[in-house]
């Protein structure tokens, strides 16, 4: 059990929904000629975001998932990212949108996009709901970002603290008490 904490509101459900509408418009424009967009959710944190995002997209889509986990090896900058669950479908020659909940050090996004590129998609773009640029260890940026946030411990809308709070409908900030 984590130490006792409270959660302060950081980004409301309403603000998230409004931002997703805007982002969806841009994504629709970018992929307007697609025959079918493969929307790839990076488990587990992206499951809420991808659910709301695909329902706003109004494009032919299919949904697939990938699970990665990262390990520190003592040297932060050479953090190893391991694939725990791979895609079900092939993406060669396909339009692909990779969906992340948060970009922190950037290792996960960098590793996963490099992996997907080896499979020769026609076009690969990325979206992250949250970005903490001050934490970056490798040079990577999602094509679209929902909100840039400071280096705070956040939970909710898919993001956990010790596997808790993923089901909060908003993004909150953890405050230890
Ligand atoms: C979190 C988050 C991102 C990644 C970002 O996943 O969902 O995938 O870390 O961190 P990075 O930019 O430093 O690589 P986590 O490993 O906590 O798994 P989860 O999504 O299952 O909660």
């Amino acid at each position: 059990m984590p130490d006792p904490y409270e959660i302060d509101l950081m980004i409301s459900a309403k603000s998230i929904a409004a931002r997703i509408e805007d982002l969806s418009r841009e994504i629709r424009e970018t992929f307007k000629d697609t025959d079918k967009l493969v929307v790839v959710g990076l488990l587990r944190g992206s499951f809420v975001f991808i659910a709301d995002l695909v329902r706003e997209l109004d494009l032919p889509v299919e949904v697939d998932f990938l699970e990665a986990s990262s390990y520190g090896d003592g040297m932060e900058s050479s953090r190893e990212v391991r694939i725990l669950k791979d895609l079900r479908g092939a993406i060669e020659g396909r339009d692909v949108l990779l969906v992340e909940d948060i970009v922190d050090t950037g290792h996960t996004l960098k590793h996963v996009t490099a992996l997907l590129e080896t499979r020769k998609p026609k076009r690969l773009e990325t979206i992250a709901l949250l970005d903490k640029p001050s934490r970056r260890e490798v040079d990577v940026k999602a094509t679209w970002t929902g909100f840039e946030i400071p280096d705070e411990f956040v939970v909710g809308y898919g993001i956990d603290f010790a596997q808790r709070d993923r089901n909060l409908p908003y993004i909150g900030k953890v405050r230890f008490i």
Side-chain angles (χ1 to χ4, degrees), residues 23 80 119 163 173 177:
L23 292 165
E80 187 195 338
R119 299 179 185 181
Q163 300 309 324
K173 197 160 66 171
I177 48 177

Side-chain angles (χ1 to χ4, degrees), residues 44-106:
R44 287 172 268 183
S46 72
F47 78 103
V48 178
F49 182 34
I50 193 175
D52 282 347
L53 185 67
V54 290
R55 284 180 291 178
E56 280 295 325
L57 273 184
D58 196 22
L59 283 173
V61 300
E62 73 186 51
V63 174
D64 207 338
F65 292 96
L66 192 76
E67 185 170 5
S69 87
S70 82
Y71 295 89
D73 65 352
M75 265 187 65
E76 288 279 283
S77 59
S78 60
R79 187 96 56 95
E80 187 195 338
V81 179
R82 223 166 38 120
I83 301 301
L84 302 178
K85 182 208 170 296
D86 206 341
L87 298 176
R88 288 279 290 273
I91 56 165
E92 186 172 352
R94 310 286 308 272
D95 290 313
V96 178
L97 176 65
L98 177 67
V99 181
E100 252 288 34
D101 53 344
I102 184 163
V103 183
D104 187 1
T105 63

Side-chain angles (χ1 to χ4, degrees), residues 14-156:
K14 212 169 152 190
S15 305
I16 296 171
R19 186 71 184 119
I20 289 177
E21 265 187 46
D22 291 346
L23 292 165
S24 300
R25 227 170 283 129
E26 292 179 32
I27 295 166
R28 263 200 312 269
E29 181 54 30
T30 300
F31 287 108
K32 62 178 185 291
D33 298 325
T34 193
D35 50 341
K36 192 151 36 101
L37 177 64
V38 187
V39 183
V40 174
L42 205 48
L43 293 172
R44 287 172 268 183
S46 72
F47 78 103
V48 178
F49 182 34
I50 193 175
D52 282 347
L53 185 67
V54 290
R55 284 180 291 178
E56 280 295 325
L57 273 184
D58 196 22
L59 283 173
V61 300
E62 73 186 51
V63 174
D64 207 338
F65 292 96
L66 192 76
E67 185 170 5
S69 87
S70 82
Y71 295 89
D73 65 352
M75 265 187 65
E76 288 279 283
S77 59
S78 60
R79 187 96 56 95
E80 187 195 338
V81 179
R82 223 166 38 120
I83 301 301
L84 302 178
K85 182 208 170 296
D86 206 341
L87 298 176
R88 288 279 290 273
I91 56 165
E92 186 172 352
R94 310 286 308 272
D95 290 313
V96 178
L97 176 65
L98 177 67
V99 181
E100 252 288 34
D101 53 344
I102 184 163
V103 183
D104 187 1
T105 63
H107 288 283
T108 307
L109 186 63
K110 184 146 189 162
H111 181 93
V112 172
T113 48
L115 171 74
L116 297 183
E117 287 291 5
T118 65
R119 299 179 185 181
K120 311 242 177 312
K122 180 170 152 206
R123 177 168 193 163
L124 171 64
E125 304 293 349
T126 54
I127 182 167
L129 180 69
L130 303 178
D131 189 355
K132 278 187 190 172
S134 62
R135 293 263 307 161
R136 202 69 93 250
E137 291 176 9
V138 287
D139 185 23
V140 69
K141 192 162 175 39
T143 315
W144 294 282
T145 296
F147 302 89
E148 279 197 7
I149 58 167
D151 185 14
E152 300 279 1
F153 199 150
V154 291
V155 290

